[in-house]
Amino acid sequence: MNRRDFLQSASAAALASTTIARAAVPAVKPVRLGVIGAGSRGQENLRQFLRVPGVSVEAICDIYPPRYEQVNRLVGKEVQHTADYNELLARNDIDAVMIASPVACHADHVIAAAKTGRAIYGEKALGFTVDDNQNILDAVTRNKVLFQIGHEYRYASWVREAIRRVHAGEIGTPTHVYAYWHRNGDWRRSVPSPDPDGKLERLINWRLYRESSGGLGTELGSHHIDMANWVFGEQPESVIGTNSICRYHDGRTVGDNVQSVFNYSQGRRLVFSSITDNAKVGCELWIYGTAGSVQITIEDATMYFEKNRSNKPTADQAEGKTVVERGVVTGASYSTAGEMPYRGPGEKVVVASSEDPTLAAARSFVEAVRGEHSIFADVQCGFRAAIACSVAHDAVFAENKMLIPAAAHNS
Ligand SMILES: NC(=O)c1ccc[n+]([C@@H]2O[C@H](COP(=O)([O-])OP(=O)(O)OC[C@H]3O[C@@H](n4cnc5c(N)ncnc54)[C@H](O)[C@@H]3O)[C@@H](O)[C@H]2O)c1
């Protein structure tokens, strides 16, 4: 073979191998996103969605113009923008809509998107008021659109595995969930000045005002309510709660701390607390069962098993020995050798990988849009958490027990 023949056959071989390599990469169906509400969460979702092969962002809708340039920088190209969500929804180059506007806008935005028949990734909480939640559920169901709620912890590997083990009976019967979201900070965002009429304050700090926000109980608690619903297999029936302003007397009209108790059937309960002046406990959710506990954090989960008490003598059986010698399992009173806390290291829940829950949720949504599977965090799951948030938002001000309605069967 002379040099020319060699070069020709080498380049033919290279071309063939490139063709084979190209053919070996399975083509992914493109999923083109439109975004309504491109603020803090919208941009974080976008960042994760753009890590999923085949996803692009074609247009955004936001009423706050600085978002346009922020999104261009994030995406690395000039993204079409508008302040009118109907204009965004009228485009014909969008396959799915991601909605991350403030909660009080969700009903308008989700219902309009559902009417176009497109798949929707909607941020939590599903809706703001009881009516909003019923109307969103109705629109999504009636228009038969794919809908995934932004409860990304449903896609966190350690949460799924921990709750699978709870459902398998490893901690006995789960009776209580205690959830904490404790922070040390004012929960305020800085507002550009001048802001003579306070409109920017209301737009940027919508979370701090009762008419536009469910406060800490909705913004943070919705994730925990969703997890308790998952554990107990139902939504709560009623809620009682309280809130106050303890530290931040700065004009906000939602509490800077909130405590609520959600009642499920058979006397089971979720106890939720959120404070903004001490972060010691951070974000933790404990599932307490008759034979053990699970601690779930935003990074991992750990199981703790109760001491095996079956071979301990009861007070009646401890005949001939003093209580001090034998230790007894007492009823109401204290026994150091009996049932007091297990302080061992616990058993870490083992998972193959702990990728970012938002990335896992985004990937799963895109796969569902491509028809690969159904949606786990669906609209019903969003409804069952959000309806509890809506009622709790009133209950913590009224400090009365309030009933939480089930979904109206009008879909
Ligand atoms: N899943 C999670 O972990 C998570 C985390 C944070 C926030 N969230 C949720 O995401 C949503 C947004 O929260 P955020 O922190 O990004 O708020 P944000 O204020 O940072 O962003 C909201 C954006 O919506 C825009 N907007 C307001 N009204 C609008 C309208 N009528 N039309 C179009 N755009 C409008 C605002 O200008 C802003 O850019 C909330 O529902 C919140 O609960 C979810």
Side-chain angles (χ1 to χ4, degrees), residues 153 159 163 222-232 285 296:
Y153 292 106
V159 179
I163 294 183
S222 57
H223 288 296
H224 286 160
I225 297 168
D226 177 48
M227 282 196 229
N229 290 353
W230 186 4
V231 169
F232 294 140
L285 177 138
I296 296 178

Side-chain angles (χ1 to χ4, degrees), residues 36-42 61-64 67 100-103 105-106 109 123-125 150 152 189 203-204 206-207 219 223:
I36 304 179
S40 159
R41 185 63 188 170
C61 160
D62 202 294
I63 57 171
Y64 185 49
R67 301 300 184 212
S101 50
V103 65
C105 306
H106 288 180
H109 294 163
E123 262 311 334
K124 46 62 50 180
E152 67 273 12
R189 290 179 177 177
L203 177 66
I204 289 171
W206 57 268
R207 274 185 174 78
E219 285 305 307
H223 288 296

Side-chain angles (χ1 to χ4, degrees), residues 51 242 271 279 382:
R51 293 171 69 187
T242 186
V271 179

Side-chain angles (χ1 to χ4, degrees), residues 389-401:
C389 292
S390 301
V391 176
H393 183 42
D394 289 334
V396 298
F397 285 99
E399 297 187 335
N400 277 335
K401 183 171 176 175

Side-chain angles (χ1 to χ4, degrees), residues 173-178 231-232 267-271 286-289:
T173 304
T175 55
H176 288 80
V177 174
Y178 274 58
V231 169
F232 294 140
R268 298 172 300 175
R269 287 186 157 171
L270 160 66
V271 179
W286 284 83
I287 306 167
Y288 296 127

Side-chain angles (χ1 to χ4, degrees), residues 125-127 133-134 137 147 149 151 154 221-238 262-264 270 375-392 404-409:
L126 183 73
N133 281 304
Q134 297 281 10
L137 176 64
F147 181 95
I149 187 73
H151 283 314
R154 289 224 167 208
S222 57
H223 288 296
H224 286 160
I225 297 168
D226 177 48
M227 282 196 229
N229 290 353
W230 186 4
V231 169
F232 294 140
E234 61 181 5
Q235 71 175 60
E237 295 169 344
S238 64
F262 294 86
N263 301 297
Y264 292 76
L270 160 66
I375 286 182
F376 180 43
D378 61 10
V379 69
Q380 295 282 350
C381 147
F383 176 86
R384 288 192 288 262
I387 197 83
C389 292
S390 301
V391 176
I404 300 170
H409 295 289

Side-chain angles (χ1 to χ4, degrees), residues 5-179:
D5 289 344
F6 171 79
L7 286 176
Q8 271 177 353
S9 77
S11 60
L15 186 67
S17 71
T18 313
T19 312
I20 290 164
R22 278 209 192 111
V25 177
V28 289
K29 196 172 151 217
V31 172
R32 298 163 302 173
L33 283 183
V35 177
I36 304 179
S40 159
R41 185 63 188 170
Q43 290 183 32
E44 174 56 17
N45 284 347
L46 260 188
R47 210 168 280 120
Q48 301 304 339
F49 267 104
L50 290 172
R51 293 171 69 187
V52 181
V55 173
S56 64
V57 53
E58 299 304 324
I60 65 163
C61 160
D62 202 294
I63 57 171
Y64 185 49
R67 301 300 184 212
Y68 307 150
E69 192 42 43
Q70 290 168 9
V71 169
N72 289 345
R73 276 204 302 274
L74 191 156
V75 179
K77 69 171 189 185
E78 182 88 15
V79 177
Q80 297 291 307
H81 63 254
T82 172
D84 176 359
Y85 63 88
N86 287 312
E87 199 178 297
L88 178 128
L89 294 171
R91 297 177 68 99
N92 57 15
D93 58 355
I94 288 171
D95 305 306
V97 187
M98 187 258 282
I99 299 171
S101 50
V103 65
C105 306
H106 288 180
D108 283 351
H109 294 163
V110 177
I111 292 169
K115 285 181 183 159
T116 71
R118 292 188 180 96
I120 302 168
Y121 186 95
E123 262 311 334
K124 46 62 50 180
L126 183 73
F128 186 35
T129 64
V130 167
D131 284 351
D132 284 356
N133 281 304
Q134 297 281 10
N135 293 336
I136 293 173
L137 176 64
D138 189 40
V140 167
T141 313
R142 193 158 14 88
N143 290 288
K144 298 187 173 57
V145 289
L146 280 182
F147 181 95
Q148 184 169 319
I149 187 73
H151 283 314
E152 67 273 12
Y153 292 106
R154 289 224 167 208
Y155 297 86
S157 53
W158 62 97
V159 179
R160 288 175 93 124
E161 178 59 6
I163 294 183
R164 185 196 68 73
R165 291 178 65 173
V166 169
H167 286 160
E170 289 196 33
I171 61 163
T173 304
T175 55
H176 288 80
V177 174
Y178 274 58

